[in-house]
Amino acid sequence: MSPLLTSAYSPDTFRQQGHALIDLLADFLADAQAGNQPPLHYREPDDELAFWQRDFEQPTNPDPAAVWKNLLTHSIQLHNPRFMGHQVSAPLPLSALTSALTSLLNNGQAVYEMGMAGNALERLLTRWLAGRLGLGPEAGGLMTSGGTLANLTALLTARALKAPTDVWADGSTDRLAIMVSEEAHYYVDRAARIMGLGSAGIIKIPTNDRFQMQTALLGPYLKQAQADGLTVFAVIGSACSTSTGSYDALTAIADFCEQHNLWFHADGAHGAVAALSDTYRPLVRGIDRADSVVVDFHKMMMMPALVTAVLYRRDADAFRTFQQKAQYLWADASSPDWFNSGKRAFECTKLMMSAKVYTALKTYGEALFTEYVEAQYGLARQFAEHIAGQTDFEIAVQPESNIVCFRYIGATVSPDRINELNSAIRQAMLTDGQFYIVQTSLRGHTWLRVSIMNPLTTLDHLKQLLDAVRQLGIGLIRQYGM
Ligand SMILES: *Cc1c(COP(=O)(O)O)cnc(C)c1O
C-alpha cells in the first residue's frame, strides 16, 4: 500500500484524531449550550463561498482539526438555547457518537448480509413504534432518508393498492388525485407531481381557524373531483402541520377513508411522537386507523438527520410499493422478506439509521422521548400564555405542538404595514444573530415562528426573545416611520 494510503487507514492515527475530535466537539457543545455566542454568525452566501475557496487553495494539512474548527464556527448551533427556528433536532450527543460508528461500518442495508444488525433493528424499531401508535398486530414498516422520501414512498404504496389500474407496470391511464389540507408541507406537492398527478391531482381542502383540515368538506370535494373525472386514491392527514403545528382530526379522516375505500396516510413527521405521552396522545387520536404513517426521528426524537420511519398498518403492503425485479441483488426478488431493506425502501445503499435510535433507546429508555415531547410541547403553551399577556404582540393560533406563530403589532403600527414590519424584524434577527427564528405566511399574513426544539431552551429565553423582537420593532418603526 502507498505510504499515503497506509497512513490514511492507520488505526493509530484514527485513535488520535478521534480523541482530538471528541474534545473539540465536547467543547463546542459546552459553549453552544451555555449560549455565550449567538447561535448563528450570519455571512452572505458569496462571502461564505469565498472563505472556503481561499481555504481550499491552501496546501493540505495532515491535521484535520483546522477544517473541523472552521466547520464548527461556520455553522448554525442547534444546541444553543437561542436556536428556535426550523424543526431540526438538536441531536442527542450520544447519537453523534453512534453516527461515527455506523459511518465507519458503512453497512448499506439493501441486501441482508450488507446490514444484518441494521435490518434486524429496523424491523424491531418500526414494530415498536407502530405498536406505540396502536397500528395493530400486522403493522410494520421500514426506515428511509427523510420525511419527504418517506411520504412519497407511502403515497406510492397507496397508489399501488388503491388505483384502479397498475400504474407501475402500465403507466398512468387514469387521472389520479390525492386530498390534503391546504396547510400541508410542500413535499406533498412535490411528491404528487413526481407521481404524475399534476396540479389537478392535488386537491387542497381548506382549513379552519385553527389551521386544521375542514373534514366536513372532504365529501363535497370528493364529489366535485369525481365530477371532474378524477380518481381520488388517498387522503393525507397532518399530525401535525408544518407552519402552525396543527393536528388534523384524524378520526374523521379515517371514517371518511373507510367509507369511500381510500388510503388514509398520516404525515406524523413532526408530531406523531405525541403518542408517547399520556398528556398529548389525544392529539393523534385516530392515527391507529391510518394505512400508513410517517415519523421523522430527526425532528422530535432527537436524532441527527436523516432517520425516518414509514409505518404500515399491514406490513405486507410495503412490498407492493416498488414491484421491481432486481435479480442480481436478491436470490428471490419477489418474496416478501423483511430483512432485505432494498425491496421496500426507495434507496439502494442506505444509512444504517436504525442503530442511532436503538442506542438511544437502550441507553436512556423510552422515557427520554416522552419527557422530551412533554417538555417542548409544555413550553410552547407557556410561551403562548406569556404572549397573551403582552398588548403589543399577538399569536396566530393556540399552539398544539411546540411550534408557535406570533407577531409584533406595536401600539401605533398601521395594520397594512404589520407584515412588512415582521419581515423586517426577522431579517434583522438573522443578521443580528442573538436568536434564530423563522417566519411563515398564513393566509397572506406574515408571522414570526419558533419551533422549540432544543431541550435547553427555557421560558426565560423565550421572554428574552420577545424583548429582542420588541426592541427591533421599535427601532424599525422609528427608522421607517411605520
Ligand atoms: C419536516 C416535515 C416533512 C419533510 O421531512 P424531511 O425529513 O425534512 O424530508 C414532511 N412533513 C412534515 C409535516 C414535516 O414537518
Side-chain angles (χ1 to χ4, degrees):
M1 200 153 60
S2 81
L4 180 62
L5 284 167
T6 305
S7 120
Y9 276 78
S10 150
D12 288 336
T13 308
F14 178 74
R15 192 186 308 276
Q16 195 193 335
Q17 292 172 339
H19 282 292
L21 175 62
I22 296 304
D23 285 340
L24 201 61
L25 292 181
D27 290 345
F28 166 81
L29 199 57
D31 184 55
Q33 291 184 350
N36 297 328
Q37 312 268 343
L40 175 67
H41 291 284
Y42 185 78
R43 285 176 199 81
E44 293 300 331
D46 288 340
D47 297 339
E48 184 66 16
L49 180 60
F51 169 85
W52 290 103
Q53 187 67 45
R54 277 194 304 279
D55 185 67
F56 190 52
E57 284 157 14
Q58 299 298 311
T60 57
N61 177 351
D63 181 3
V67 174
W68 290 337
K69 284 179 188 160
N70 280 336
L71 288 169
L72 290 173
T73 53
H74 283 247
S75 298
I76 189 164
Q77 296 181 345
L78 306 191
H79 295 88
N80 190 308
R82 285 178 283 129
F83 168 87
M84 25 181 102
H86 290 289
Q87 300 151 271
V88 182
S89 73
L92 187 69
L94 176 70
S95 64
L97 301 177
T98 313
S99 294
L101 183 149
T102 57
S103 287
L104 192 75
L105 285 175
N106 197 28
N107 278 208
Q109 312 299 302
V111 184
Y112 170 64
E113 64 273 20
M114 286 297 287
M116 290 190 301
N119 274 305
L121 290 179
E122 203 171 302
R123 173 74 160 174
L124 187 153
L125 290 171
T126 47
R127 285 178 151 188
W128 161 74
L129 189 55
R132 287 296 176 269
L133 297 180
L135 287 169
E138 288 172 49
L142 57 112
M143 286 183 172
T144 192
S145 303
T148 304
L149 192 54
N151 279 305
L152 174 63
T153 304
L155 289 175
L156 286 168
T157 317
R159 186 178 69 180
L161 283 137
K162 295 292 186 193
T165 55
D166 184 352
V167 181
W168 194 264
D170 307 325
S172 195
T173 47
D174 303 290
R175 291 178 58 217
L176 298 173
I178 53 173
M179 299 206 293
V180 62
S181 134
E182 64 183 358
E183 280 297 320
H185 197 267
Y186 72 85
Y187 88 82
V188 176
D189 189 85
R190 195 171 283 187
R193 288 169 200 276
I194 291 170
M195 292 170 73
L197 307 187
S199 305
I202 311 161
I203 298 168
K204 295 201 168 148
I205 311 295
T207 52
N208 61 20
D209 57 358
R210 292 168 62 195
F211 299 95
Q212 302 157 323
M213 179 193 282
Q214 293 189 41
T215 50
L217 296 179
L218 283 168
Y221 272 67
L222 179 63
K223 267 213 185 86
Q224 184 60 48
Q226 288 164 341
D228 293 342
L230 292 160
T231 305
V232 176
F233 66 94
V235 182
I236 302 169
S238 299
C240 50
S241 69
T242 299
S243 288
T244 56
S246 304
Y247 285 83
D248 287 339
L250 302 180
T251 304
I253 300 176
D255 289 343
F256 183 81
C257 287
E258 243 167 54
Q259 215 176 337
H260 296 277
N261 188 28
L262 300 171
W263 185 274
F264 170 24
H265 174 63
D267 181 1
H270 183 96
V273 66
L276 297 180
S277 153
D278 290 341
T279 312
Y280 295 110
R281 191 170 303 118
L283 291 169
V284 291
R285 190 174 294 133
I287 206 167
D288 54 318
R289 292 168 63 197
D291 295 297
S292 54
V293 183
V294 160
V295 186
D296 268 350
F297 286 93
H298 56 269
K299 293 254 177 81
M300 291 299 288
M301 294 178 88
M302 287 169 280
M303 294 299 116
L306 295 160
V307 187
T308 303
V310 189
L311 306 172
Y312 294 92
R313 194 138 58 90
R314 294 160 302 272
D315 187 42
D317 286 353
F319 291 96
R320 302 288 300 279
T321 317
F322 306 105
Q323 303 145 323
Q324 205 170 17
K325 303 228 186 300
Q327 293 298 357
Y328 66 96
L329 283 181
W330 302 291
D332 178 358
S334 57
S335 78
D337 39 14
W338 60 264
F339 41 83
N340 290 306
S341 162
K343 286 191 180 175
R344 301 191 290 169
F346 183 88
E347 302 100 314
C348 181
T349 305
K350 188 172 86 177
L351 284 174
M352 197 179 164
M353 48 188 87
S354 54
K356 294 172 216 175
V357 182
Y358 189 71
T359 310
L361 266 174
K362 283 294 289 181
T363 308
Y364 299 113
E366 212 177 297
L368 183 76
F369 299 125
T370 306
E371 288 178 18
Y372 174 75
V373 67
E374 292 187 347
Q376 305 314 105
Y377 278 33
L379 187 53
R381 283 155 176 75
Q382 288 182 310
F383 183 40
E385 221 167 275
H386 176 70
I387 296 172
Q390 317 294 311
T391 52
D392 52 352
F393 282 91
E394 64 181 8
I395 55 168
V397 57
Q398 282 299 328
E400 291 184 81
S401 68
N402 56 330
I403 297 169
V404 185
C405 296
F406 64 99
R407 61 184 183 170
Y408 180 67
I409 50 174
T412 55
V413 189
S414 73
D416 58 330
R417 301 196 73 179
I418 289 179
N419 287 347
E420 188 189 346
L421 175 62
N422 281 276
S423 263
I425 291 172
R426 143 76 179 153
Q427 191 55 37
M429 254 199 165
L430 182 66
T431 44
D432 147 295
Q434 290 306 311
F435 290 88
Y436 182 75
I437 62 169
V438 295
Q439 70 178 49
T440 192
S441 172
L442 300 171
R443 299 186 180 136
H445 293 285
T446 304
W447 295 84
L448 302 172
R449 175 173 169 275
V450 295
S451 309
I452 309 172
M453 302 300 289
N454 187 337
L456 287 137
T457 299
T458 63
L459 186 58
D460 268 342
H461 292 115
L462 292 161
K463 288 179 178 172
Q464 291 164 23
L465 165 71
L466 228 51
D467 286 337
V469 169
R470 179 181 287 122
Q471 290 317 315
L472 287 171
I474 291 170
L476 285 159
I477 291 170
R478 206 171 285 144
Q479 200 175 343
Y480 300 107
M482 289 168 166

